[in-house]
Amino acid sequence: MLKMRILEARRWLSRSFSNILHSEPLRVCVVGSGPAGCYTAEKMLKARQEAQVDIIDRLPTPFGLVRSGVAPDHPETKIVVNQFSRVAQHERCSFFGNVTLGSSISLAELRKLYHVVVLAYGAESDRSLGIPGENLKGILSAREFVWWYNGHPDGRNLDPDLKSTDTAVIFGQGNVALDVARILLRPTTELATTDIASHALATLEESSIRVVYLVGRRGPAQAACTAKELREVLGIHNLDISIQESDLLLTPADEEELKNNRIHRRIFELLSKAATSRPRHAGQRQLRFVFFRKPDSFLESKDSTGHVSGVRIEKTVLKGVGPGKQIAVGTGEFEDIKCGMVLKSIGYKSVPVDGLPFDHKKGIVPNERGRVLSDTSDTAVLEEGLYVCGWLKRGPTGIVATNLYCAEETVSSILEDLEKGVLISSTAVPKSGRDGLLKLLHDRNVRIVSFNDWEKIDSEERRLGSLRNKPREKLATWNELLTATSKGIDNFKR
Amino acid sequence: MLNLNSRLPRIGASITKHFFTRNYTSMCKAGYTRSTRNYCLQPSFQQNWFTNLYKGAMFEKHNFLSTTTSSSTAESGSEQKETISVTFVDKDGEEKLLKVPIGMSMLEAAHQNDIELEGACEGSLACSTCHVIVMDVDYYNKLDDPTDEENDMLDLAFGLTETYAGHV
């Protein structure tokens, strides 16, 4: 008995010494390599010198929406990938692409391998309108359309028909709505020198769309876009902008809202100026802002069954439901807009995975400052070691920089939990982290794309782009992307 | 000497009035007696000096304060670029004194000297991660009004105040 005790004691002592000498790293896995994931990884690496961070992404290409969401004609917004690249190349960080949470590896397995798992995989689905006719051909979500023109491999086969109609209706007036309107209406010569996907450019060059409606349920005082984007769309060369002056009348409730909100005030001013300043020229492309209209149903074409031919919209009035908050209520007055294409830009939605608590109403993971909660009730408990960041945490709003603050909050929750012992310490329970992940993925024949591999894709895209006076020519299919990773000398390593 | 840390809020970067007044005055005096490039007498140049000084002057508002003092590198009257002394003070109170050539942005100066300031778009006026709060209203008023483009970015800036000078 005594011998055993001595043995145990010696084992304990040597483990403690080795822990002091080779401090057991804190093993962190970040799921998603967009802004939320990269900022989180960066802050974790900085906050804990012993942290080892692995970033996984289901795509072979990193950077999330910076690559697949930001519009091709907004290259300055993409400069942040330089910073994110430095994070991925940090000596204590690794990027593993082509690894999908839920199929390559389960959440439960990930939590076994890592002390801290941060889910930052954003929102890859859409809110639906839930109205009749929504499944007619020609009705797309803005997200799919954006994936398509940004060369996302899952958007390659969208094949939108831009030749059978001259009118597109967009529901929503946020920045994504402005993006898709702009891509539809901008002269393609201007798009030809961006990193827009070639298949999209070719389709747009043959597009017959000349009129785009941007339809919002509420008024110009509530429009969700931001000034820079609005200013840009209003400044497009040869684009006729139409805004009804009657829509610009403000109620006292509107005035109150605007008084306290700089962003909305400036948007309203921009819209007012645009309503009065533009002379109409025939033959120009048109962008028509429609306010106080909500979609009622979609109309089916008589000539082309199964295809949308118009949208029935209902006039709305605003009703106050709380301080500074008004919602749109139908008035029973209807009208139709003829169109052959509809884009729904009413919000993205996150997708839950097995084992992940989810708030289906809000479309996010229930959390307390980034700490995942077991459910949405008042008696929820913390899910140890599980955190969220980005759209999965806050909902699908904000810009790249919004994730900076979001990541700060989540990381400070993690650090607090480590200090308070709420989160099991790495020395108490060592986990296999990267080694365990690689072994598991190897056993499942998952073809991991490393950051080096991405750099091969990157240089190939830039090389192809230089042949066409574009910053890059995106490889837009899974096959092309994975093939590009196998070029080069370290092919044999896999 | 001002106790910067106690005076200034944790959130926010500033150029302290004390430093500014003292050194601007002394710069003026120096310029007046010494060279034909007279900082005080030519209002447009003076305006430019301020604008250039802060062009892209960005302080990560959580972490840094900065104060500036003029330096007397103009004595030789040579073509050498004028520098100013800039002190970056981080959120823990640690100070780093740099010599920054006039015309260089604060963001560049910081990054060149391994000072961590957020600057997602690297100074192309496309995000809102770096921005300045000018604490002294008089000096704020001396700056050019923000352009529409700057104001658009400021709309999105965290902790916006009335004296945000954006991409100054």
Side-chain angles (χ1 to χ4, degrees):
Chain A
M1 198 60 202
L2 184 60
K3 253 200 192 153
M4 246 182 61
R5 291 270 167 83
I6 293 174
L7 259 169
E8 272 176 15
R10 270 166 55 185
R11 232 182 278 140
W12 178 84
L13 263 170
S14 65
R15 213 183 308 138
S16 306
F17 277 132
S18 74
N19 279 341
I20 292 164
L21 294 173
H22 320 282
S23 171
E24 185 63 34
L26 179 70
R27 306 205 189 260
V28 181
C29 184
V30 176
V31 180
S33 62
C38 286
Y39 278 132
T40 300
E42 187 180 53
K43 290 172 193 300
M44 268 322 294
L45 288 166
K46 179 154 175 255
R48 293 288 231 172
Q49 292 307 307
E50 82 287 11
Q52 204 192 52
V53 180
D54 295 336
I55 307 175
I56 68 173
D57 198 294
R58 76 172 181 88
L59 290 181
T61 57
F63 313 132
L65 285 176
V66 181
R67 175 177 163 94
S68 67
V70 175
D73 52 352
H74 287 170
E76 334 71 42
T77 312
K78 304 191 196 196
I79 293 176
V80 72
V81 304
N82 295 339
Q83 182 178 354
F84 295 161
S85 295
R86 288 193 294 273
V87 176
Q89 292 169 308
H90 190 286
E91 56 177 352
R92 286 183 282 121
C93 186
S94 287
F95 169 77
F96 299 124
N98 198 31
V99 177
T100 306
L101 179 66
S103 52
S104 315
I105 183 167
S106 74
L107 181 59
E109 286 168 329
L110 217 47
R111 289 175 77 181
K112 276 210 206 87
L113 293 171
Y114 290 91
H115 299 106
V116 176
V117 174
V118 184
L119 303 175
Y121 64 74
E124 291 199 317
S125 177
D126 312 292
R127 289 180 66 197
S128 66
L129 289 168
I131 61 177
E134 201 165 348
N135 290 324
L136 289 170
K137 239 185 145 254
I139 301 176
L140 304 168
S141 75
R143 175 191 57 86
E144 297 172 290
F145 192 68
V146 171
W147 273 7
W148 173 75
Y149 65 63
N150 271 336
H152 191 294
D154 291 346
R156 178 62 181 88
N157 298 325
L158 185 71
D159 200 26
D161 183 1
L162 304 182
K163 287 198 282 202
S164 63
T165 182
D166 68 351
T167 304
V169 169
I170 301 175
F171 285 106
Q173 293 170 334
N175 286 341
V176 179
L178 292 190
D179 272 355
V180 299
R182 201 176 65 247
I183 297 297
L184 283 171
L185 291 171
R186 244 199 140 137
T188 46
T189 44
E190 290 176 21
L191 295 175
T193 51
T194 68
D195 65 3
I196 193 169
S198 319
H199 56 259
L201 183 64
T203 304
L204 287 164
E205 282 167 344
E206 307 199 311
S207 161
S208 54
I209 293 184
R210 295 292 174 270
V211 180
V212 173
Y213 287 85
L214 277 169
V215 181
R217 289 178 296 187
R218 300 187 292 169
Q222 289 83 26
C225 54
T226 52
K228 173 171 182 253
E229 285 69 20
L230 183 57
R231 199 185 299 281
E232 181 185 16
V233 92
L234 296 176
I236 293 180
H237 186 57
N238 259 343
L239 181 64
D240 178 40
I241 310 283
S242 132
I243 300 176
Q244 299 266 57
E245 288 208 45
S246 53
D247 284 339
L248 293 164
L249 298 168
L250 292 173
T251 64
D254 289 333
E255 308 246 358
E256 190 61 33
E257 269 181 42
L258 291 183
K259 209 168 62 172
N260 301 324
N261 193 314
R262 174 189 153 123
I263 296 181
H264 283 288
R265 199 165 58 236
R266 297 184 72 243
I267 297 291
F268 183 80
E269 281 162 16
L270 274 170
L271 290 168
S272 308
K273 251 198 292 193
T276 52
S277 60
R278 291 255 188 177
R280 183 163 292 177
H281 302 300
Q284 270 182 344
R285 299 186 176 192
Q286 292 177 40
L287 179 63
R288 318 185 76 128
F289 283 84
V290 172
F291 296 101
F292 304 107
R293 300 291 187 282
K294 67 185 214 178
D296 173 77
S297 54
F298 295 105
L299 310 169
E300 185 172 348
S301 164
K302 300 205 167 53
D303 308 317
S304 168
T305 40
H307 204 287
V308 70
S309 67
V311 50
R312 179 153 294 165
I313 52 182
E314 183 183 7
K315 192 162 193 288
T316 67
V317 287
L318 298 190
K319 185 175 113 170
V321 291
K325 176 98 168 111
Q326 302 178 78
I327 60 167
V329 172
T331 59
E333 279 177 55
F334 296 88
E335 57 199 39
D336 294 347
I337 303 180
K338 275 224 247 320
C339 64
M341 182 179 193
V342 175
L343 286 162
K344 297 178 288 178
S345 187
I346 57 172
Y348 290 56
K349 203 164 69 171
S350 291
V351 180
V353 295
D354 257 356
L356 181 63
F358 200 75
D359 182 339
H360 289 276
K361 202 163 132 228
K362 294 189 191 157
I364 58 173
V365 171
N367 71 91
E368 185 266 313
R369 298 173 65 84
R371 300 174 174 93
V372 174
L373 299 167
S374 55
D375 53 67
T376 54
S377 75
D378 293 331
T379 50
V381 294
L382 292 178
E383 291 281 336
E384 196 215 308
L386 193 57
Y387 300 82
V388 277
C389 188
W391 280 8
L392 192 55
K393 168 183 168 195
R394 298 180 285 106
T397 59
I399 55 173
V400 172
T402 316
N403 295 290
L404 185 65
Y405 309 108
C406 191
E408 258 178 36
E409 185 184 64
T410 295
V411 170
S412 76
S413 294
I414 296 172
L415 298 176
E416 248 176 68
D417 291 351
L418 280 169
E419 267 159 56
K420 292 199 285 190
V422 169
L423 179 56
I424 211 91
S425 82
S426 49
T427 39
V429 181
K431 298 213 178 189
S432 52
R434 191 174 300 162
D435 293 337
L437 179 70
L438 289 173
K439 180 171 190 312
L440 186 150
L441 294 175
H442 177 82
D443 290 345
R444 291 185 186 165
N445 273 324
V446 174
R447 179 182 172 155
I448 297 174
V449 174
S450 66
F451 197 77
N452 262 350
D453 293 332
W454 147 246
E455 288 179 311
K456 290 187 203 137
I457 297 174
D458 186 33
S459 33
E460 181 61 4
E461 288 187 343
R462 283 188 280 122
R463 183 189 74 82
L464 292 169
S466 66
L467 303 171
R468 295 181 184 201
N469 199 20
K470 300 169 79 173
R472 73 174 60 241
E473 180 56 62
K474 284 194 181 156
L475 299 176
T477 63
W478 283 94
N479 198 18
E480 284 172 303
L481 287 164
L482 293 173
T483 305
T485 65
S486 49
K487 295 197 167 118
I489 50 166
D490 50 357
N491 186 24
F492 68 89
K493 281 188 185 156
R494 226 179 332 281
Chain B
M1 180 66 125
L2 291 173
N3 184 344
L4 300 171
N5 291 335
S6 65
R7 238 191 79 171
L8 294 158
R10 200 171 165 271
I11 291 181
S14 81
I15 293 92
T16 64
K17 180 179 178 176
H18 177 85
F19 265 95
F20 236 80
T21 319
R22 190 185 73 191
N23 292 295
Y24 180 66
T25 319
S26 61
M27 265 280 297
C28 258
K29 285 195 193 132
Y32 208 99
T33 53
R34 209 175 312 196
S35 76
T36 53
R37 282 198 307 147
N38 193 321
Y39 297 112
C40 293
L41 293 185
Q42 293 172 5
S44 59
F45 189 93
Q46 166 189 322
Q47 190 83 326
N48 279 341
W49 183 77
F50 268 106
T51 313
N52 284 338
L53 172 63
Y54 293 105
K55 201 176 174 92
M58 330 267 181
F59 304 84
E60 212 281 287
K61 59 172 190 36
H62 290 300
N63 295 331
F64 286 107
L65 320 162
S66 149
T67 63
T68 64
T69 63
S70 65
S71 75
S72 45
T73 48
E75 299 115 339
S76 59
S78 69
E79 288 296 274
Q80 188 182 8
K81 209 128 197 233
E82 301 269 346
T83 65
I84 53 162
S85 295
V86 180
T87 309
F88 281 90
V89 183
D90 75 10
K91 69 181 192 298
D92 301 319
E94 264 196 58
E95 294 190 2
K96 196 163 185 177
L97 176 67
L98 302 176
K99 288 257 188 279
V100 179
I102 290 177
M104 177 181 275
S105 81
M106 287 293 135
L107 184 68
E108 274 177 78
H111 285 175
Q112 273 187 21
N113 289 277
D114 292 326
I115 293 172
E116 287 172 20
L117 287 189
E118 286 293 344
C121 72
E122 298 179 2
S124 19
L125 196 60
C127 70
S128 57
T129 56
C130 65
H131 41 260
V132 181
I133 302 177
V134 181
M135 297 292 280
D136 186 281
V137 174
D138 290 338
Y139 285 100
Y140 177 76
N141 288 333
K142 287 194 160 81
L143 300 169
D144 289 333
D145 280 342
T147 62
D148 281 340
E149 289 72 26
E150 290 171 350
N151 267 324
D152 289 349
M153 289 301 106
L154 288 179
D155 279 355
L156 307 167
F158 189 78
L160 190 63
T161 69
E162 282 311 308
T163 57
Y164 253 65
H167 198 260
V168 181

